[in-house]
Amino acid sequence: MATDPARRQWLQGAGVLALLPAAAWARADAPEWLAAWDSSQHHHVGRLGLVAARVQPQATLEVPTRAHGLLVEPHGRTALAVARRPGDWLVRFDIRSGRALQWHWIDADAQFNGHAVPSRDGRLLYTTQTDRETGEGRIGVHDARTLAPLHRWDSGGRDPHQLLVGADGSLWVANGGIDTRPETGRRKHDLERMDSSLVCLDAASGQPRGQWRLDDRRLSLRHLAFGPHGHLGIAMQAEHDDPQARAAAPVLAVWDARRGLRVAPSDGATGGYGGDIAAWREGFVVSCPRRDRAVRWRLAPDGSVAQHDLLPLEGAYALAAGRQGVVSVAGTTAVLQAATLPLQGGLQIDNHWQQLRG
């Protein structure tokens, strides 16, 4: 698809690249993250690092709208960022320098829903999309090298959000089930007709292998993480009409081949909003930004799940799984890893990030 004049003007005007060299005294083993963030009214993706005991940008690429999902490519030198829904762009960039290498703009009849994942052999890239005319969920299949679209498959529902590729190559999709329309952007419609589901697709053909739903149809399945003992964790966001019911709703569901899909127990103090999910060595962590905390669940080999402990942090949102099961949590003013690390002032880390080092 040819770049339209408005997009061409933005690319030229932004200059695309702003490189912030790391200070010479930055430790070689200091932690680094791939992240999206806002700063000074602009949107960025790139690399954050720990310099002089403060988390700050090391290489940054300005993007036209807010980014959402981030993906380190298999060789580790480049990454992909996908626009926040309803989005129209996908960019490949160099992790060390922040330089944009490839832009892909979606056709006008569809929108990106914020996430992408490569096939097991690395030849294909899958993205979640919504058909602008029908509102139905789609899985975009792209050539991983050129980002060119090859196919569009049915996601099995509306509002597909995150997707992952399983160990056997199958494609797992969280259909959020919420109806949105092109003319009203992110506004939610007809919540009483929500139909959220977890879907497994054949990654070669797009044919459905299985679909699971929860009894509570007002729980929207959003983000995914593979955890221990062959379990899949799903972070949820509640859409109940009653504010008290919404705030007390659970934020974690767990799937396994023996028990299917089920809600994990919760103390009801999660705010009903799971922002992100990551696996740790014994289970799953879900961020709860409306309650300024991340919550850890422990998963037993028999499949039982129990709430384990709280990780308090103001504005806790983005989660990144690191070495030895340590999960980094990004908050409003600080990052929680093994210790609390201050965040550069004016830097607002977006919904997701990934650990690159440390």
Side-chain angles (χ1 to χ4, degrees):
M1 179 182 177
T3 304
D4 66 35
R7 291 168 175 168
R8 191 161 53 242
Q9 182 180 14
W10 183 88
L11 288 170
Q12 293 169 348
V16 180
L17 172 67
L19 176 62
L20 301 178
W25 32 265
R27 282 173 35 208
D29 61 345
E32 290 185 335
W33 298 268
L34 180 74
W37 67 90
D38 288 350
S39 180
S40 303
Q41 309 300 315
H42 296 286
H43 311 290
H44 305 271
V45 296
R47 180 167 50 89
L48 299 177
L50 183 64
V51 179
R54 183 178 296 274
V55 177
Q56 55 188 284
Q58 301 301 292
T60 175
L61 169 67
E62 186 178 341
V63 291
T65 58
R66 279 180 63 178
H68 190 74
L70 300 157
L71 173 67
V72 178
E73 298 199 87
H75 50 67
R77 298 186 299 274
T78 60
L80 294 169
V82 189
R84 179 179 184 243
R85 66 181 176 91
D88 62 356
W89 58 265
L90 170 68
V91 64
R92 170 175 282 133
F93 61 98
D94 182 271
I95 292 174
R96 303 315 299 174
S97 70
R99 182 169 61 92
L101 303 174
Q102 249 175 316
W103 289 91
H104 172 71
W105 304 88
I106 199 169
D107 291 337
D109 63 349
Q111 68 183 41
F112 285 125
N113 286 358
H115 285 276
V117 69
S119 60
R120 281 184 61 81
D121 62 9
R123 297 173 60 187
L124 301 174
L125 181 74
Y126 306 107
T127 60
T128 48
Q129 304 179 9
T130 291
D131 186 300
R132 287 182 175 271
E133 182 176 349
T134 67
E136 294 297 322
R138 300 284 182 258
I139 302 301
V141 184
H142 306 253
D143 181 293
R145 183 179 62 85
T146 66
L147 305 183
L150 302 175
H151 310 285
R152 273 193 192 147
W153 299 334
D154 188 339
S155 76
R158 289 178 177 262
D159 186 29
H161 198 62
Q162 190 168 10
L163 71 176
L164 293 178
V165 172
D168 63 352
S170 55
L171 192 61
W172 292 85
V173 184
N175 284 308
I178 298 172
D179 184 23
T180 58
R181 301 167 190 170
E183 64 272 18
T184 55
R186 292 173 61 84
R187 181 180 172 186
K188 302 166 185 175
H189 298 271
D190 303 323
L191 290 175
E192 70 280 359
R193 295 165 55 190
M194 271 181 63
D195 186 20
S196 186
S197 65
L198 175 68
V199 173
C200 180
L201 302 176
D202 185 284
S205 66
Q207 292 300 305
R209 289 184 172 181
Q211 187 167 27
W212 299 265
R213 293 177 172 87
L214 295 171
D215 292 336
D216 187 346
R217 296 301 180 93
R218 289 297 187 99
L219 295 175
S220 179
L221 307 177
R222 310 303 299 176
H223 293 111
L224 305 171
F226 286 114
H229 314 306
H231 288 74
L232 177 65
I234 306 102
M236 304 184 293
Q237 297 172 8
E239 299 291 347
H240 302 85
D241 295 328
D242 177 38
Q244 290 185 331
R246 187 168 61 246
V251 295
L252 175 67
V254 177
W255 179 94
D256 68 74
R258 185 167 64 91
R259 297 190 180 193
L261 183 65
R262 62 199 186 278
V263 172
S266 171
D267 62 6
T270 57
Y273 186 96
D276 197 7
I277 185 170
W280 67 295
R281 61 182 175 271
E282 295 185 45
F284 297 103
V285 182
V286 176
S287 60
C288 304
R290 295 179 181 176
R291 291 294 184 267
D292 295 324
R293 64 187 61 172
V295 182
R296 284 197 292 199
W297 278 264
R298 177 174 283 132
L299 186 64
D302 67 0
S304 59
V305 185
Q307 190 168 319
H308 179 53
D309 61 359
L310 303 178
L311 305 172
L313 183 67
E314 181 183 354
Y317 213 125
L319 302 175
R323 293 182 301 179
Q324 299 178 331
V326 176
V327 174
S328 298
V329 187
T332 305
T333 60
V335 170
L336 180 63
Q337 196 174 17
T340 301
L341 308 171
L343 188 62
Q344 177 179 295
L347 201 68
Q348 298 177 9
I349 297 177
D350 223 307
N351 302 39
H352 304 290
W353 66 345
Q354 290 192 26
Q355 189 105 23
L356 295 173
R357 189 178 70 184

